[in-house]
Amino acid sequence: MATKKAKKAAPKKAAKKAAPKKAVKKAAKKAAPKKAAKKKSTRKPSAAFMKALTPSDALAAVVGSKPMPRTEVVKKIWVYIKANKLQDKANKRMINADAKLKPVFGGKAQVSMFDMAKHLAKNLK
């Protein structure tokens, strides 16, 4: 029995040593977000994203003909895709083109959401 008590005592000591390490890690984690918050406040959006671009006639049928930033065009395209349920049910990365989107996507019936940006760039000036 004496050996069993000795074995049980050793893990308890190890557990006590492990607790202060966790406290140190938590303190280090709390310090890191303060530095990250300072970086976020100094960052400014790029003017290139805010530049108004004129959509082509094919793209204007979907998002409107007014000049708007590229970010707004992408948002409106996604609103259109979600409203008309054009996202492929089996593979969510694929967008099924309807009659309005087919000319925008270069005549393709189905386009990957990652290729969509390439096709949008061709339709913005």
Side-chain angles (χ1 to χ4, degrees):
M1 278 198 159
T3 56
K4 287 182 181 179
K5 286 182 183 178
K7 285 182 182 178
K8 287 183 181 179
K12 287 181 183 178
K13 288 180 183 177
K16 288 180 183 177
K17 289 180 182 178
K21 288 181 184 178
K22 288 180 182 178
V24 172
K25 286 181 183 178
K26 287 180 182 178
K29 287 182 182 179
K30 288 179 183 177
K34 290 179 184 178
K35 291 178 183 177
K38 289 179 184 176
K39 289 180 183 178
K40 286 183 182 179
S41 64
T42 58
R43 185 175 175 184
K44 295 178 183 175
S46 174
F49 284 121
M50 297 299 130
K51 182 181 176 186
L53 300 168
T54 308
S56 67
D57 294 336
L59 187 57
V62 180
V63 298
S65 59
K66 291 182 181 178
M68 64 186 88
R70 184 182 308 274
T71 54
E72 287 298 316
V73 172
V74 173
K75 285 180 188 177
K76 289 190 177 195
I77 284 283
W78 274 108
V79 167
Y80 181 82
I81 289 168
K82 299 278 185 177
N84 293 305
K85 298 179 182 176
L86 298 175
Q87 205 169 359
D88 192 41
K89 293 192 184 343
N91 186 357
K92 297 277 188 182
R93 289 183 292 174
M94 300 304 285
I95 309 299
N96 298 321
D98 63 353
K100 285 185 178 181
L101 282 179
K102 214 167 202 175
V104 175
F105 293 158
K108 292 185 178 180
Q110 196 175 45
V111 174
S112 166
M113 66 172 61
F114 304 111
D115 291 337
M116 187 174 66
K118 176 177 70 175
H119 293 292
L120 289 179
K122 292 177 184 175
N123 286 282
L124 290 170
K125 294 179 184 177

